[in-house]
Amino acid sequence: MAQVKEGYVERIVYRGMDGYAVLKLSVAEEEELTCFGTFVHVEEGEYLRLEGEMVDNPKYGEQLKVLSYQAVEPKDGQAMERYLASGAIKGVGAALAARIVKKFKEDTFRIIEEEPERLVEVKGISERIAGDIYRQFEEKREMRHAMIFLQQYGISNQLAVKIYQFYGERMYDVIRQNPYKLAEDIDGVGFKIADEIALQAGIAPDDEYRVKAALYYVLTQAIGNGHVFLPEEELYQKTLEVIRVPYETMERQLTQLVLERSVVLKEEEGQRQIYVSSYYYLELDTARMLCDLNQRYDVAERVIAHRLHQLEKELEIELDELQQMAVSEAVQNGVFILTGGPGTGKTTTINTIIRFFESEGMDVLLAAPTGRAAKRMSETTGMEARTIHRMLELTRDPEAKVGGLEFARNESNPLESDVIIIDEMSMVDISLMHALLKAILVGTRVIFVGDVNQLPSVGPGNVLQDMIASERFPVVKLTKIFRQSEESKIVLNAHKINAGESIPLDNNNKDFFFLNRQDTKVIVPSIVYLVQKKIADYVKASPYEVQVLTPMKAGELGAENLNIALQEALNPAAPGKIEKELSGGRKLREGDKVMQIKNNYQLEWETRSRYGIAVEKGTGVFNGDCGIIREINLFAELVTVEFEEGRMVEYPFGGLDELVLAYAITIHKSQGSEYPAVVIPLLTGPRMLFNRNVLYTAVTRAKKCVTIVGSPETVQNMIHNVMEAKRYSGLKRAIQEM
């Protein structure tokens, strides 16, 4: 039941991100009351009227969970003195506050607001100090008025602060004239929120601002789905799903967006392609930089052959013809692409390329898109490999626009290396590719390594495929399966899947298994049993290292439902184990395996010594990063997650929508990762998701064991289904035009 409390802010115990705070409230004729919630610019000494629910914290006792509050101007002299002395007004301490109130008594606040020049009547106050007191007092009053104004549009305090801080007094004009500016300028405001505000503010359904905002919103949504542009007709169709307006209106406003340079219209083979401007130039600039790097180096073939012969002896290896060609192309070209499936000798080839350049006294840098991929690269090469973000020295910059990326390494501060090798290139999107190339000097050799048959990047673009399809760069595709991999059914079946050949599901091997199950009510407990009891022991790993991979997020065999079952089996509730319930009935529990589901370039992390002392600090947690919840602090409303490499990150409760359970994840999210064993449920689902690429990507994530649970017909149908989600990208064309 909601309760109303009034009192002075005696002490602010904790102030966290986005306005969350814990404070002590001095309530008349009661003891101090602990209150927690979202507060906007509240200072010690202020008088508040709070509405909320009393909760009993087992550790901290009875507290008020604040749902809403209002700053009330003190009416009596004692309250006014207390507020002025609290530090809310800089430059006014206890002694000066006492003198001001002694002089003006209950009229103090009226004097400050209406006759601030009279403050000079108080000893110690000059005209300048009187002006400072008045300005600060007005700013706080304006903030309170702004909060009240924005709340009538259903805007939360948290969002209201962002809006007021960005616009100041201009906020009122923006809300009344063009609320869609909010979606452009304020992080956390999308078209739908802006549209609700606009319609409440009386904006007409066919208003030009509304139509332009809807078109732009659809384009940005397409970017979120992997596209860099949309064909004009598809843009109109998708916009009609958001707002109902005539085609002519959309055409007219699209022309306006082009004239305003918010979007770019490109005609290609009779198709009109619409880009968000920043992404059009991102793609164009990426093509230019690739072509600049694509130089030919005059190194004699006989010199390369002689050095290769020496390296084969030193490393006790024997390269096949394609591997030798790959080394030769890497040495002779500024840009080189190496691709191939599992077991085809990519690792041996990369190691030979590294040793070749090192023998020539050249510096080599290694990087990959994810922490897991970088760690695996380090293990297979014996050299340090970093994530691309860490190599480029990601910096904290909330103002960074395109892709949200800002790096210390760029054209003004380039990477210092003769050779740069990037692994798992299929995961690299256009934004990250652009940032990488900006930091590479012309004259540096760049070698891109990846499996082109895997799923494309989560972010926008089709970088690796477009580079290969442009036919402007040397490419070697390794195809021979080497002897040490011939015994692995994982490797052999992966190649059969990729070739469109049916695979045997007879369990007549030691690393590729199939369980024929036709009922989801049987499949779910089977998966739990396999992960918890059978497979972990079989591959000598913990159940947390056995990864369930599913094509779908929703449904009975989707990641969300499987996570509930696996959480209860692997990390059940227990006394003393704290958990946090989220919207939709989701629960996060101490000890849970979780995954970050969006790039957050502002999240801070630190690695700690065994004594809990920070050793290294940085920013950035990325889509697909997995970790373990180490602590849930209900009082401070913080969840601490330990990610790979011991990176500790604190999430405020308000930021938990970026975390999901990760006992089961979608196959798309598994890109760049490798697990001791994977379990793949395959029964029924959308044809677009149940295709060859998806199955191939899932199977190639496993090192020691693949177990498929479901229907044999579904497995074979996936192998023969080459339908893939269409990606609109123009990098191939841009490279060719360069």
Side-chain angles (χ1 to χ4, degrees):
M1 183 177 171
Q3 295 195 29
V4 176
K5 298 285 184 181
E6 288 192 16
Y8 305 101
V9 179
E10 195 70 54
R11 183 163 54 94
I12 295 177
V13 178
Y14 172 84
R15 199 192 295 272
M17 295 171 64
D18 300 328
Y20 174 79
V22 179
L23 52 85
K24 297 286 188 181
L25 196 73
S26 178
V27 183
E29 300 177 2
E30 292 183 32
E31 294 182 2
E32 266 187 357
L33 177 65
T34 301
C35 308
F36 64 93
T38 301
F39 295 92
V40 182
H41 286 246
V42 167
E43 306 289 348
E44 292 179 354
E46 285 198 71
Y47 192 84
L48 302 180
R49 180 180 293 120
L50 310 174
E51 185 174 344
E53 299 171 352
M54 296 302 298
V55 295
D56 192 17
N57 186 299
K59 188 173 180 180
Y60 300 103
E62 200 172 44
Q63 302 174 341
L64 182 70
K65 181 180 180 180
V66 178
L67 303 175
S68 64
Y69 76 94
Q70 186 179 358
V72 181
E73 290 191 352
K75 297 290 188 281
D76 61 89
Q78 184 185 0
M80 292 178 181
E81 182 180 332
R82 193 169 186 163
Y83 174 73
L84 291 173
S86 70
I89 307 296
K90 290 184 177 63
V92 178
L96 185 54
R99 291 201 298 275
I100 294 171
V101 175
K102 185 178 180 182
K103 171 71 177 174
F104 300 115
K105 300 184 174 54
E106 279 75 15
D107 211 21
T108 296
F109 280 12
R110 189 196 66 77
I111 293 291
I112 294 174
E113 284 186 355
E114 298 176 12
E115 303 177 73
E117 66 278 1
R118 287 192 58 195
L119 289 171
V120 298
E121 297 173 21
V122 178
K123 183 181 177 183
I125 296 183
S126 63
E127 286 186 12
R128 182 184 62 79
I129 293 173
D132 284 346
I133 293 171
Y134 168 73
R135 275 189 295 276
Q136 290 184 64
F137 206 81
E138 279 296 290
E139 281 172 12
K140 291 184 181 297
R141 188 165 65 90
E142 286 165 9
M143 169 65 87
R144 284 197 286 272
H145 289 172
M147 295 302 106
I148 293 166
F149 175 78
L150 292 171
Q151 281 166 2
Q152 69 182 312
Y153 295 103
I155 299 171
S156 68
N157 281 346
Q158 202 171 311
L159 199 51
V161 174
K162 287 185 181 179
I163 293 170
Y164 183 77
Q165 287 177 340
F166 189 89
Y167 294 115
E169 289 298 295
R170 288 196 304 122
M171 174 197 80
Y172 299 98
D173 290 335
V174 170
I175 296 292
R176 291 179 181 125
Q177 294 171 18
N178 180 15
Y180 299 101
K181 277 287 289 174
L182 298 172
E184 293 177 37
D185 298 332
I186 310 294
D187 185 34
V189 179
F191 172 81
K192 290 180 180 177
I193 292 176
D195 199 40
E196 286 175 16
I197 296 168
L199 294 175
Q200 284 188 59
I203 298 289
D206 62 348
D207 183 272
E208 63 171 293
Y209 290 128
R210 185 171 191 246
V211 180
K212 284 194 291 187
L215 289 163
Y216 198 85
Y217 166 72
V218 169
L219 283 173
T220 56
Q221 287 293 104
I223 290 167
N225 291 325
H227 304 296
V228 184
F229 69 82
L230 279 182
E232 185 179 31
E233 276 305 307
E234 193 166 328
L235 171 61
Y236 292 153
Q237 288 167 12
K238 289 184 181 299
T239 303
L240 284 173
E241 295 171 12
V242 179
I243 60 170
R244 305 299 298 179
V245 291
Y247 259 77
E248 313 83 72
T249 306
M250 289 190 289
E251 288 173 342
R252 188 165 60 250
Q253 297 311 327
L254 180 62
T255 302
Q256 279 300 115
L257 284 171
V258 172
L259 292 172
E260 293 167 10
R261 299 186 178 180
S262 297
V263 304
V264 170
L265 190 156
K266 178 84 176 174
E267 296 217 19
E268 180 70 18
E269 296 178 355
Q271 183 189 66
R272 286 158 62 95
Q273 302 169 349
I274 315 300
Y275 290 79
V276 169
S277 290
S278 53
Y279 277 86
Y280 174 77
Y281 292 110
L282 199 67
E283 213 168 50
L284 209 60
D285 207 27
T286 297
R288 177 191 60 77
M289 290 187 288
L290 278 170
C291 292
D292 287 347
L293 287 167
N294 191 27
Q295 300 185 357
R296 184 79 178 172
Y297 295 95
D298 188 18
V299 184
E301 288 285 355
R302 57 182 175 76
V303 173
I304 297 172
H306 175 70
R307 189 74 195 97
L308 264 179
H309 182 65
Q310 290 179 314
L311 285 170
E312 284 179 314
K313 279 187 175 180
E314 289 172 21
L315 300 172
E316 297 180 348
I317 58 172
E318 188 176 335
L319 301 180
D320 73 4
E321 190 177 335
L322 284 174
Q323 288 176 307
Q324 291 176 2
M325 184 190 297
V327 178
S328 179
E329 294 288 5
V331 170
Q332 295 182 92
N333 290 281
V335 174
F336 168 62
I337 299 168
L338 176 65
T339 183
T344 56
K346 286 201 303 288
T347 297
T348 302
T349 308
I350 293 168
N351 282 331
T352 308
I353 289 169
I354 291 169
R355 303 299 174 250
F356 190 108
F357 285 123
E358 285 185 332
S359 70
E360 298 295 315
M362 300 169 80
D363 293 324
V364 181
L365 284 179
L366 308 180
T370 66
R372 276 182 180 271
K375 184 180 179 184
R376 195 168 68 249
M377 199 179 188
S378 294
E379 291 167 352
T380 56
T381 62
M383 292 177 61
E384 181 194 13
R386 292 173 288 173
T387 64
I388 298 172
H389 295 89
R390 292 191 75 178
M391 181 177 74
L392 297 180
E393 299 171 21
L394 180 70
T395 59
R396 187 185 177 102
D397 185 1
E399 300 302 314
K401 289 291 180 188
V402 177
L405 302 175
E406 188 67 26
F407 296 103
R409 293 289 185 174
N410 50 39
E411 60 269 54
S412 304
N413 181 29
L415 294 165
E416 296 167 8
S417 184
D418 301 301
V419 182
I420 297 173
I421 302 176
I422 307 295
D423 200 6
E424 293 288 355
M425 264 301 294
S426 62
M427 297 181 65
V428 176
D429 64 28
I430 191 67
S431 301
L432 186 57
M433 184 66 165
H434 183 263
L436 172 66
L437 295 175
K438 278 173 65 179
I440 299 177
L441 285 170
V442 173
T444 305
R445 288 174 173 85
V446 191
I447 298 157
F448 299 110
V449 184
D451 186 346
V452 77
N453 296 304
Q454 288 182 23
L455 291 168
S457 59
V458 175
N462 217 1
V463 175
L464 182 62
Q465 285 196 1
D466 279 358
M467 286 175 65
I468 294 171
S470 74
E471 300 181 346
R472 293 295 189 269
F473 309 106
V475 179
V476 171
K477 182 176 182 179
L478 302 178
T479 54
K480 178 184 175 183
I481 301 174
F482 282 86
R483 190 177 299 110
Q484 62 267 35
S485 297
E486 285 179 349
E487 294 180 9
S488 168
K489 286 293 182 182
I490 295 174
V491 171
L492 293 177
N493 285 343
H495 283 273
K496 283 187 174 184
I497 291 166
N498 192 37
E501 300 173 16
S502 296
I503 58 174
L505 300 173
D506 53 13
N507 294 328
N508 189 22
N509 63 88
K510 59 184 180 183
D511 64 0
F512 198 103
F513 304 107
F514 176 76
L515 272 67
N516 191 337
R517 302 287 186 272
Q518 302 290 337
D519 185 347
T520 56
K521 291 180 173 57
V522 175
I523 292 175
V524 173
S526 296
I527 288 171
V528 171
Y529 176 73
L530 286 167
V531 172
Q532 188 176 24
K533 304 288 186 185
K534 298 292 284 185
I535 297 176
D537 289 340
Y538 184 71
V539 298
K540 295 180 174 56
S542 82
Y544 275 43
E545 293 177 285
V546 178
Q547 187 62 59
V548 178
L549 300 179
T550 172
M552 304 173 295
K553 182 179 175 183
E556 289 187 78
L557 296 181
E560 292 174 347
N561 190 52
L562 289 170
N563 270 316
I564 294 170
L566 288 162
Q567 182 190 42
E568 288 311 304
L570 301 180
N571 188 35
K577 188 185 287 184
I578 300 172
E579 61 182 44
K580 166 65 178 168
E581 186 160 345
L582 307 176
S583 59
R586 287 196 308 132
K587 287 180 183 175
L588 292 180
R589 193 173 287 147
E590 288 178 335
D592 270 336
K593 180 180 176 182
V594 291
M595 181 174 64
Q596 174 81 11
I597 58 169
K598 62 181 282 192
N599 289 337
N600 187 325
Y601 304 103
Q602 273 70 56
L603 261 182
E604 296 180 341
W605 56 261
E606 64 181 30
T607 57
R608 298 172 184 170
S609 70
R610 59 189 293 190
Y611 305 107
I613 299 168
V615 175
E616 183 185 4
K617 294 187 177 183
T619 57
V621 182
F622 306 106
N623 194 347
D625 283 358
C626 288
I628 305 292
I629 295 179
R630 296 302 182 197
E631 182 187 12
I632 297 177
N633 188 324
L634 295 174
F635 180 65
E637 296 203 349
L638 291 172
V639 173
T640 303
V641 179
E642 181 177 0
F643 288 99
E644 288 159 351
E645 302 173 325
R647 293 174 298 139
M648 308 295 284
V649 178
E650 290 186 342
Y651 289 81
F653 279 8
L656 293 179
D657 59 339
E658 296 185 9
L659 286 178
V660 296
L661 292 173
Y663 303 102
I665 63 174
T666 63
I667 293 165
H668 217 135
K669 292 286 189 184
S670 72
Q671 284 177 274
S673 297
E674 195 174 64
Y675 311 97
V678 301
V679 180
I680 312 167
L682 298 174
L683 190 59
T684 58
R687 185 168 164 76
M688 190 66 77
L689 292 177
F690 280 64
N691 64 41
R692 184 185 299 173
N693 273 66
V694 169
L695 181 58
Y696 176 80
T697 300
V699 167
T700 54
R701 299 307 90 206
K703 285 195 286 189
K704 298 179 181 178
C705 179
V706 168
T707 305
I708 298 174
V709 186
S711 159
E713 292 79 20
T714 300
V715 176
Q716 305 303 351
N717 288 339
M718 288 181 76
I719 292 170
H720 300 298
N721 176 16
V722 292
M723 179 188 292
E724 295 175 45
K726 171 71 177 170
R727 277 215 168 186
Y728 297 116
S729 64
L731 183 61
K732 171 189 167 183
R733 182 207 66 238
I735 291 169
Q736 290 173 336
E737 287 181 356
M738 286 286 164

PDB file of all heavy atoms in Angstrom, residues 70-89:
ATOM      1  N   GLN A  70       8.226  14.902  -4.673  1.00  0.00           N
ATOM      2  CA  GLN A  70       8.093  16.311  -5.037  1.00  0.00           C
ATOM      3  C   GLN A  70       8.924  17.129  -4.068  1.00  0.00           C
ATOM      4  O   GLN A  70       8.879  16.911  -2.850  1.00  0.00           O
ATOM      5  CB  GLN A  70       6.621  16.732  -4.943  1.00  0.00           C
ATOM      6  CG  GLN A  70       6.357  18.145  -5.431  1.00  0.00           C
ATOM      7  CD  GLN A  70       4.880  18.498  -5.328  1.00  0.00           C
ATOM      8  OE1 GLN A  70       4.073  17.664  -4.930  1.00  0.00           O
ATOM      9  NE2 GLN A  70       4.530  19.712  -5.661  1.00  0.00           N
ATOM     10  N   ALA A  71       9.742  18.023  -4.600  1.00  0.00           N
ATOM     11  CA  ALA A  71      10.495  18.931  -3.737  1.00  0.00           C
ATOM     12  C   ALA A  71       9.555  20.044  -3.290  1.00  0.00           C
ATOM     13  O   ALA A  71       8.964  20.738  -4.117  1.00  0.00           O
ATOM     14  CB  ALA A  71      11.683  19.515  -4.500  1.00  0.00           C
ATOM     15  N   VAL A  72       9.379  20.185  -1.979  1.00  0.00           N
ATOM     16  CA  VAL A  72       8.456  21.171  -1.418  1.00  0.00           C
ATOM     17  C   VAL A  72       9.273  22.290  -0.806  1.00  0.00           C
ATOM     18  O   VAL A  72      10.207  22.036  -0.038  1.00  0.00           O
ATOM     19  CB  VAL A  72       7.549  20.520  -0.348  1.00  0.00           C
ATOM     20  CG1 VAL A  72       6.566  21.534   0.210  1.00  0.00           C
ATOM     21  CG2 VAL A  72       6.815  19.322  -0.927  1.00  0.00           C
ATOM     22  N   GLU A  73       8.937  23.522  -1.151  1.00  0.00           N
ATOM     23  CA  GLU A  73       9.691  24.637  -0.597  1.00  0.00           C
ATOM     24  C   GLU A  73       9.377  24.781   0.889  1.00  0.00           C
ATOM     25  O   GLU A  73       8.212  24.826   1.289  1.00  0.00           O
ATOM     26  CB  GLU A  73       9.345  25.935  -1.335  1.00  0.00           C
ATOM     27  CG  GLU A  73       9.886  25.940  -2.760  1.00  0.00           C
ATOM     28  CD  GLU A  73       9.786  27.308  -3.398  1.00  0.00           C
ATOM     29  OE1 GLU A  73       9.158  28.195  -2.792  1.00  0.00           O
ATOM     30  OE2 GLU A  73      10.332  27.492  -4.487  1.00  0.00           O
ATOM     31  N   PRO A  74      10.411  24.817   1.734  1.00  0.00           N
ATOM     32  CA  PRO A  74      10.197  24.952   3.178  1.00  0.00           C
ATOM     33  C   PRO A  74       9.407  26.215   3.502  1.00  0.00           C
ATOM     34  O   PRO A  74       9.593  27.255   2.860  1.00  0.00           O
ATOM     35  CB  PRO A  74      11.623  25.039   3.727  1.00  0.00           C
ATOM     36  CG  PRO A  74      12.489  24.435   2.665  1.00  0.00           C
ATOM     37  CD  PRO A  74      11.830  24.762   1.382  1.00  0.00           C
ATOM     38  N   LYS A  75       8.546  26.114   4.485  1.00  0.00           N
ATOM     39  CA  LYS A  75       7.694  27.256   4.857  1.00  0.00           C
ATOM     40  C   LYS A  75       8.179  27.973   6.112  1.00  0.00           C
ATOM     41  O   LYS A  75       7.988  29.164   6.279  1.00  0.00           O
ATOM     42  CB  LYS A  75       6.247  26.781   5.073  1.00  0.00           C
ATOM     43  CG  LYS A  75       5.602  26.199   3.808  1.00  0.00           C
ATOM     44  CD  LYS A  75       5.333  27.290   2.789  1.00  0.00           C
ATOM     45  CE  LYS A  75       4.512  26.782   1.617  1.00  0.00           C
ATOM     46  NZ  LYS A  75       5.266  26.042   0.627  1.00  0.00           N
ATOM     47  N   ASP A  76       8.831  27.257   7.031  1.00  0.00           N
ATOM     48  CA  ASP A  76       9.259  27.910   8.274  1.00  0.00           C
ATOM     49  C   ASP A  76      10.741  28.259   8.198  1.00  0.00           C
ATOM     50  O   ASP A  76      11.506  27.689   7.423  1.00  0.00           O
ATOM     51  CB  ASP A  76       8.985  26.997   9.476  1.00  0.00           C
ATOM     52  CG  ASP A  76       9.751  25.694   9.385  1.00  0.00           C
ATOM     53  OD1 ASP A  76      10.894  25.636   9.870  1.00  0.00           O
ATOM     54  OD2 ASP A  76       9.209  24.731   8.787  1.00  0.00           O
ATOM     55  N   GLY A  77      11.150  29.191   9.022  1.00  0.00           N
ATOM     56  CA  GLY A  77      12.517  29.696   9.005  1.00  0.00           C
ATOM     57  C   GLY A  77      13.555  28.628   9.267  1.00  0.00           C
ATOM     58  O   GLY A  77      14.613  28.593   8.624  1.00  0.00           O
ATOM     59  N   GLN A  78      13.256  27.714  10.178  1.00  0.00           N
ATOM     60  CA  GLN A  78      14.209  26.666  10.508  1.00  0.00           C
ATOM     61  C   GLN A  78      14.473  25.774   9.288  1.00  0.00           C
ATOM     62  O   GLN A  78      15.609  25.406   8.997  1.00  0.00           O
ATOM     63  CB  GLN A  78      13.666  25.816  11.666  1.00  0.00           C
ATOM     64  CG  GLN A  78      14.659  24.753  12.130  1.00  0.00           C
ATOM     65  CD  GLN A  78      14.058  23.837  13.191  1.00  0.00           C
ATOM     66  OE1 GLN A  78      12.903  23.996  13.569  1.00  0.00           O
ATOM     67  NE2 GLN A  78      14.844  22.892  13.671  1.00  0.00           N
ATOM     68  N   ALA A  79      13.402  25.448   8.572  1.00  0.00           N
ATOM     69  CA  ALA A  79      13.541  24.600   7.389  1.00  0.00           C
ATOM     70  C   ALA A  79      14.326  25.328   6.294  1.00  0.00           C
ATOM     71  O   ALA A  79      15.157  24.719   5.601  1.00  0.00           O
ATOM     72  CB  ALA A  79      12.170  24.200   6.872  1.00  0.00           C
ATOM     73  N   MET A  80      14.065  26.628   6.145  1.00  0.00           N
ATOM     74  CA  MET A  80      14.785  27.403   5.130  1.00  0.00           C
ATOM     75  C   MET A  80      16.277  27.470   5.456  1.00  0.00           C
ATOM     76  O   MET A  80      17.128  27.314   4.570  1.00  0.00           O
ATOM     77  CB  MET A  80      14.198  28.811   5.036  1.00  0.00           C
ATOM     78  CG  MET A  80      12.789  28.840   4.473  1.00  0.00           C
ATOM     79  SD  MET A  80      12.124  30.528   4.451  1.00  0.00           S
ATOM     80  CE  MET A  80      10.484  30.227   3.786  1.00  0.00           C
ATOM     81  N   GLU A  81      16.575  27.677   6.713  1.00  0.00           N
ATOM     82  CA  GLU A  81      17.980  27.749   7.123  1.00  0.00           C
ATOM     83  C   GLU A  81      18.672  26.407   6.869  1.00  0.00           C
ATOM     84  O   GLU A  81      19.803  26.355   6.388  1.00  0.00           O
ATOM     85  CB  GLU A  81      18.071  28.101   8.611  1.00  0.00           C
ATOM     86  CG  GLU A  81      19.511  28.237   9.102  1.00  0.00           C
ATOM     87  CD  GLU A  81      19.592  28.597  10.580  1.00  0.00           C
ATOM     88  OE1 GLU A  81      18.650  29.243  11.104  1.00  0.00           O
ATOM     89  OE2 GLU A  81      20.591  28.217  11.210  1.00  0.00           O
ATOM     90  N   ARG A  82      17.968  25.353   7.188  1.00  0.00           N
ATOM     91  CA  ARG A  82      18.522  24.017   7.006  1.00  0.00           C
ATOM     92  C   ARG A  82      18.832  23.758   5.522  1.00  0.00           C
ATOM     93  O   ARG A  82      19.870  23.196   5.174  1.00  0.00           O
ATOM     94  CB  ARG A  82      17.493  23.014   7.515  1.00  0.00           C
ATOM     95  CG  ARG A  82      18.015  21.606   7.683  1.00  0.00           C
ATOM     96  CD  ARG A  82      16.968  20.818   8.430  1.00  0.00           C
ATOM     97  NE  ARG A  82      17.443  19.497   8.765  1.00  0.00           N
ATOM     98  CZ  ARG A  82      16.878  18.732   9.669  1.00  0.00           C
ATOM     99  NH1 ARG A  82      15.835  19.181  10.347  1.00  0.00           N
ATOM    100  NH2 ARG A  82      17.342  17.528   9.913  1.00  0.00           N
ATOM    101  N   TYR A  83      17.927  24.164   4.643  1.00  0.00           N
ATOM    102  CA  TYR A  83      18.120  23.960   3.209  1.00  0.00           C
ATOM    103  C   TYR A  83      19.316  24.767   2.705  1.00  0.00           C
ATOM    104  O   TYR A  83      20.186  24.252   2.006  1.00  0.00           O
ATOM    105  CB  TYR A  83      16.861  24.357   2.439  1.00  0.00           C
ATOM    106  CG  TYR A  83      17.048  24.308   0.928  1.00  0.00           C
ATOM    107  CD1 TYR A  83      17.119  23.092   0.261  1.00  0.00           C
ATOM    108  CD2 TYR A  83      17.174  25.484   0.182  1.00  0.00           C
ATOM    109  CE1 TYR A  83      17.305  23.036  -1.117  1.00  0.00           C
ATOM    110  CE2 TYR A  83      17.368  25.433  -1.193  1.00  0.00           C
ATOM    111  CZ  TYR A  83      17.429  24.210  -1.834  1.00  0.00           C
ATOM    112  OH  TYR A  83      17.629  24.161  -3.192  1.00  0.00           O
ATOM    113  N   LEU A  84      19.373  26.046   3.065  1.00  0.00           N
ATOM    114  CA  LEU A  84      20.462  26.903   2.590  1.00  0.00           C
ATOM    115  C   LEU A  84      21.820  26.431   3.102  1.00  0.00           C
ATOM    116  O   LEU A  84      22.840  26.560   2.414  1.00  0.00           O
ATOM    117  CB  LEU A  84      20.222  28.355   3.024  1.00  0.00           C
ATOM    118  CG  LEU A  84      19.051  29.081   2.341  1.00  0.00           C
ATOM    119  CD1 LEU A  84      18.826  30.441   2.992  1.00  0.00           C
ATOM    120  CD2 LEU A  84      19.306  29.248   0.848  1.00  0.00           C
ATOM    121  N   ALA A  85      21.840  25.866   4.315  1.00  0.00           N
ATOM    122  CA  ALA A  85      23.102  25.424   4.922  1.00  0.00           C
ATOM    123  C   ALA A  85      23.536  24.046   4.439  1.00  0.00           C
ATOM    124  O   ALA A  85      24.630  23.585   4.753  1.00  0.00           O
ATOM    125  CB  ALA A  85      22.960  25.410   6.446  1.00  0.00           C
ATOM    126  N   SER A  86      22.674  23.384   3.660  1.00  0.00           N
ATOM    127  CA  SER A  86      22.935  21.988   3.284  1.00  0.00           C
ATOM    128  C   SER A  86      24.021  21.834   2.232  1.00  0.00           C
ATOM    129  O   SER A  86      24.522  20.743   2.010  1.00  0.00           O
ATOM    130  CB  SER A  86      21.651  21.357   2.738  1.00  0.00           C
ATOM    131  OG  SER A  86      21.332  21.930   1.473  1.00  0.00           O
ATOM    132  N   GLY A  87      24.388  22.917   1.558  1.00  0.00           N
ATOM    133  CA  GLY A  87      25.320  22.815   0.439  1.00  0.00           C
ATOM    134  C   GLY A  87      24.610  22.842  -0.894  1.00  0.00           C
ATOM    135  O   GLY A  87      25.238  22.791  -1.950  1.00  0.00           O
ATOM    136  N   ALA A  88      23.271  22.906  -0.857  1.00  0.00           N
ATOM    137  CA  ALA A  88      22.502  22.962  -2.102  1.00  0.00           C
ATOM    138  C   ALA A  88      22.854  24.214  -2.895  1.00  0.00           C
ATOM    139  O   ALA A  88      22.868  24.207  -4.121  1.00  0.00           O
ATOM    140  CB  ALA A  88      21.011  22.931  -1.794  1.00  0.00           C
ATOM    141  N   ILE A  89      23.106  25.324  -2.182  1.00  0.00           N
ATOM    142  CA  ILE A  89      23.533  26.573  -2.826  1.00  0.00           C
ATOM    143  C   ILE A  89      25.008  26.761  -2.521  1.00  0.00           C
ATOM    144  O   ILE A  89      25.388  27.015  -1.372  1.00  0.00           O
ATOM    145  CB  ILE A  89      22.716  27.782  -2.308  1.00  0.00           C
ATOM    146  CG1 ILE A  89      21.209  27.530  -2.440  1.00  0.00           C
ATOM    147  CG2 ILE A  89      23.129  29.049  -3.037  1.00  0.00           C
ATOM    148  CD1 ILE A  89      20.708  27.379  -3.846  1.00  0.00           C
TER     149      ILE A  89
END
